[in-house]
């Protein structure tokens, strides 16, 4: 027994030195400690011994068993550490000369057109202003010459909050604030999100974006309005845009207009996209009403100005050929991530 134990110990320690991975380790565990393993076989043989001999051999075999267990445990720990180190090293091997990976991120089409509009107007001396989405009745309507119970309110089905405030239905809601902030003369645009209780279809959403612009100075006329709109739209669409004005009614401008642009698809010849008229309705605008200037603290005898409210959502749809407005609020990244700044 002593002899066999000594041989076994030697065999075990030789074999242990050859172990390189966890599979080999498991094999050794089975070979020595498994039900049919070497140590178990030795323990079974104890039956044939008696008295002192049995006790002594038993102690030795159990001592060996503990050694084997401890040795295998230590080996397992070392293998796991080595494995981890290999993985870390592999992960750290990178080539700093490789070109940067594309992030896959992209801007929302509305953000893209908003930035273009901002860039063109900034270059023409306009400031870009931001304004709240929750506003009061005064700013959204009364300061814009739309008193309580005015029928024009019907066109903007408004979300009122319990505290009496409301979700702004139009970016015009910032006009008064900006007039008071800067006084005249003044050139500002203010993009923003608007809300109306609309039933949703391919052309209507309850949440959409507009960009409003105002220019106030001495002797501002409709010609200035036409010039700035034409310049901005030609830049955004990357082609010469013709436009026309038709009368339109909005209480905060006098006179008020609907601005149409020549159809982008047919260039004005007439096609299904423009219902054969050659024109697309784009943006309401007008000369700021004296009451609105007065509410903003501006002397309407001395100053005049124009205002426009451009549908940024509509502009993005026209520029990128987006057919359904609902795609824009959908969070559908496949649809939304295909547009990139030029
Ligand atoms: N705020 C108007 C709307 O959302 C659009 C508008 C019309 C804005 C005429 C203007 C304007 O600045 O002059 O229906």
């Amino acid at each position: 027994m002593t002899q066999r134990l000594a041989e076994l110990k030697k065999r075990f320690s030789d074999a242990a030195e050859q172990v390189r991975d966890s599979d080999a380790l498991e094999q050794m565990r089975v070979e020595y400690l498994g039900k049919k393993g070497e140590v178990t076989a030795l323990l079974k043989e104890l039956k044939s011994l008696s008295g002192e001999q049995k006790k002594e051999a038993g102690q030795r075999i159990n001592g060996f068993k503990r050694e084997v267990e401890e040795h295998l445990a230590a080996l397992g720990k070392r293998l796991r550490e080595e494995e981890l180190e290999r993985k870390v090293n592999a992960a750290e091997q990178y080539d700093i000369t490789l070109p940067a990976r594309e992030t896959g991120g992209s801007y929302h089409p509305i953000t893209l057109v908003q930035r273009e509009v901002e860039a063109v107007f900034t270059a023409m001396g306009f400031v870009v202003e931001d304004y709240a989405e929750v506003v009061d009745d005064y700013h959204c309507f009364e300061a814009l010459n739309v008193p309580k119970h005015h029928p024009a309110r019907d066109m903007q089905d408004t979300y009122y909050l319990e505290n009496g405030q409301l979700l702004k239905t139009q970016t015009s809601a910032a006009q008064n604030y900006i007039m008071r902030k800067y006084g005249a003369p003044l050139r500002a645009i203010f993009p923003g999100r608007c809300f109306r209780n609309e039933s949703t279809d391919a052309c209507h959403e309850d949440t959409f974006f507009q960009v409003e612009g105002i220019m106030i100075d001495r002797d501002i006329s409709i010609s200035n309005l036409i010039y700035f709109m034409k310049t901005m739209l030609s830049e955004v669409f990357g082609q010469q845009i013709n436009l026309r004005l038709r009368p339109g009614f909005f209480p905060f401008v006098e006179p008020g207009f609907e601005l149409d642009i020549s159809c982008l698809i047919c260039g004005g010849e007439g096609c299904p996209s423009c219902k054969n008229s050659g024109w697309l309705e784009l943006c309401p605008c007008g000369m700021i009403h004296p009451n609105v200037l007065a509410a903003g603290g501006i002397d309407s005898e001395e100053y005049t100005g124009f205002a426009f409210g451009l549908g940024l959502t509509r502009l993005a749809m026209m520029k990128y050929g987006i057919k359904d407005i609902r795609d824009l609020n959908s969070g559908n990244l496949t649809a939304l991530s295909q547009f990139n700044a030029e």
Side-chain angles (χ1 to χ4, degrees):
M1 174 70 75
T2 316
Q3 172 85 17
R4 281 189 49 207
L5 207 57
E7 276 170 22
L8 204 58
K9 270 188 187 181
K10 170 104 182 49
R11 216 168 81 204
F12 175 77
S13 65
D14 288 349
E17 277 184 21
Q18 304 302 316
V19 171
R20 293 283 174 271
D21 58 37
S22 49
D23 286 347
L25 184 72
E26 177 58 14
Q27 231 172 43
M28 269 198 84
R29 196 192 61 75
V30 174
E31 192 181 330
Y32 285 86
L33 302 175
K35 265 193 210 151
K36 293 179 185 156
E38 302 284 359
V39 176
T40 321
L42 282 177
L43 284 169
K44 275 184 189 154
E45 281 178 31
L46 280 178
K47 272 191 239 147
S48 57
L49 300 175
S50 58
E52 224 15 61
Q53 260 185 333
K54 190 177 188 177
K55 188 178 163 197
E56 200 199 329
Q59 278 172 351
R60 290 234 220 119
I61 298 168
N62 276 324
F64 176 59
K65 189 181 173 194
R66 259 198 313 282
E67 267 174 44
V68 170
E69 284 168 349
E70 281 165 13
H71 200 116
L72 292 180
L75 211 54
K77 187 165 173 252
R78 210 187 70 208
L79 286 175
R80 280 194 298 278
E81 282 168 2
E82 283 174 3
E83 176 83 352
L84 191 68
E85 208 168 314
R86 267 201 302 279
K87 278 189 187 158
V88 170
N89 284 342
E92 273 181 0
Q93 280 169 6
Y94 52 82
D95 179 355
I96 55 166
T97 62
L98 283 175
R101 201 184 286 165
E102 296 273 330
T103 59
S106 63
Y107 288 107
H108 192 282
I110 292 182
T111 305
L112 290 173
V113 283
Q114 178 178 329
R115 289 187 174 185
E116 281 182 43
V117 171
E118 286 177 7
V120 182
F121 276 104
T122 313
M124 296 191 292
F126 284 67
V127 292
V128 179
E129 271 288 334
D130 197 10
Y131 194 58
E133 290 177 352
V134 174
V135 300
D136 56 24
D137 189 275
Y138 176 77
H139 284 89
C140 201
F141 298 119
E142 286 191 42
L144 291 166
N145 205 27
V146 185
K148 292 218 163 44
H149 312 300
H150 192 291
R153 291 197 180 206
D154 285 352
M155 308 216 323
Q156 303 189 0
D157 200 348
T158 309
Y159 290 114
Y160 286 94
L161 307 182
E162 280 171 2
N163 67 4
Q165 289 188 295
L166 50 99
L167 298 184
K168 90 173 169 234
T169 55
Q170 50 184 350
T171 40
S172 313
Q175 281 196 16
N176 183 267
Y177 159 80
I178 288 165
M179 286 180 202
R180 294 220 162 256
K181 178 169 174 184
Y182 292 100
L186 153 67
R187 296 177 187 199
I189 58 163
F190 25 110
R193 198 192 322 243
C194 304
F195 308 86
R196 288 182 202 176
N197 186 12
E198 298 266 3
S199 18
T200 309
D201 60 27
C203 307
H204 297 90
E205 257 285 21
D206 54 16
T207 305
F208 54 94
F209 287 81
Q210 293 184 335
V211 56
E212 187 98 357
I214 49 177
M215 177 170 181
I216 300 170
D217 209 329
R218 293 189 177 88
D219 300 326
I220 294 292
S221 71
I222 298 168
S223 317
N224 298 107
L225 168 64
I226 294 173
Y227 169 79
F228 281 101
M229 296 313 287
K230 200 174 158 109
T231 307
M232 185 273 288
L233 293 168
S234 300
E235 284 288 328
V236 169
F237 286 110
Q239 66 189 76
Q240 197 56 33
I241 297 286
N242 290 323
L243 44 89
R244 73 173 184 189
L245 297 180
R246 287 179 288 120
F249 175 72
F250 304 94
F252 31 92
V253 278
E254 183 57 42
F257 306 106
E258 291 289 355
L259 183 151
D260 298 337
I261 60 170
S262 51
C263 177
L264 298 165
I265 313 281
C266 63
E269 299 286 308
C271 70
S273 292
C274 58
K275 298 192 189 107
N276 285 317
S277 71
W279 297 98
L280 296 170
E281 185 175 323
L282 186 70
C283 153
C285 52
M287 300 305 293
I288 302 174
H289 195 288
N291 288 354
V292 176
L293 289 173
I298 291 172
D299 182 355
S300 61
E301 295 290 323
E302 194 179 351
Y303 291 101
T304 49
F306 67 75
F308 63 87
L310 181 66
L312 210 48
T313 301
R314 188 162 147 71
L315 190 62
M317 289 173 73
M318 285 169 82
K319 172 155 181 167
Y320 294 113
I322 298 166
K323 300 238 159 37
D324 193 326
I325 191 172
R326 291 166 292 196
D327 285 336
L328 292 167
N329 288 352
S330 68
N332 174 352
L333 294 184
T334 316
L336 294 175
S337 63
Q338 48 185 323
F339 310 102
N340 274 305
E342 281 136 19

